[in-house]
Amino acid sequence: MSFTLTSPAFKYGERIPRKYTCDDVDISPPLQWSNTPAGTKSLVLIMEDPDAPIGVFTHWVLYNIPPDRTELPENVPKTPVVEGIGVQGINDFGRIGYGGPCPPRGHKPHRYFFRLYALNTVPNIKQRASKDEVLRIIKNSIIGTTEYMGTYSR
């Protein structure tokens, strides 16, 4: 059985509901995963848009997720540390936590990838880390990865 990531809010490849975007309340969608690899000590979630005009745009960086978690609730608080959930980094909006899809008007639908990494360690990553900092620190500790994708356009 493979490591899988899903969301009860939208199907893979389908439109992300408006409430999870900058056009509405901009809260994080619920996510669920299963079959976390044996030996996982922590998880990292990164959400990004590879279709942004400036290149890959990071929407969410969440790390040190406990290995026994199997889901994230809707509307994870936008605070540096979320009790029982993990530590959040800085997104490319310059803010802590989740920043939803907000593509330029008139563009083709952008793709938003949620990538979940299983690690064989609990890395020592400072609060407010960037995606690049997190990926650099975890690169030799990844024992599994899975992704889920939704789209959005305005």
Side-chain angles (χ1 to χ4, degrees), residues 2 8 46 61 69 76 84 87 91 98 109-110 114 138 146 151 154:
S2 62
I46 294 175
V61 179
R69 277 202 84 87
V76 170
V87 181
N91 59 40
Y98 178 84
H110 285 208
F114 296 82
I138 71 169
T146 183
T151 63
R154 300 167 85 194

Side-chain angles (χ1 to χ4, degrees), residues 12-152:
Y12 187 95
E14 291 191 354
R15 185 176 175 85
I16 295 171
R18 184 179 171 95
K19 77 177 184 177
Y20 306 117
T21 75
C22 72
D23 293 324
D24 202 315
V25 290
D26 201 19
I27 60 174
S28 62
L31 297 170
Q32 301 169 341
W33 55 90
S34 59
N35 302 313
T36 303
T40 298
K41 300 256 189 331
S42 69
L43 298 155
V44 170
L45 178 75
I46 294 175
M47 176 193 172
E48 53 191 9
D49 170 7
D51 302 317
I54 60 165
V56 177
F57 191 92
T58 303
H59 286 264
W60 198 9
V61 179
L62 175 60
Y63 45 96
N64 291 0
I65 302 167
D68 57 348
R69 277 202 84 87
T70 57
E71 64 182 354
L72 292 176
E74 179 179 87
N75 196 16
V76 170
K78 296 177 183 182
T79 56
V81 177
V82 183
E83 191 65 38
I85 290 180
V87 181
Q88 298 191 98
I90 299 282
N91 59 40
D92 283 348
F93 294 110
R95 297 191 298 261
I96 294 281
Y98 178 84
C102 199
R105 294 188 189 283
H107 277 225
K108 66 176 177 51
H110 285 208
R111 296 166 299 152
Y112 296 87
F113 288 90
F114 296 82
R115 289 191 177 92
L116 188 64
Y117 300 88
L119 309 179
N120 62 7
T121 185
V122 179
N124 183 12
I125 304 173
K126 66 179 176 56
Q127 290 183 22
R128 308 172 86 87
S130 70
K131 174 191 74 175
D132 291 343
E133 290 172 298
V134 171
L135 290 175
R136 180 178 49 75
I137 291 168
I138 71 169
K139 70 176 186 257
N140 295 320
S141 303
I142 299 168
I143 58 173
T145 185
T146 183
E147 70 178 33
Y148 198 71
M149 187 268 292
T151 63
Y152 191 71

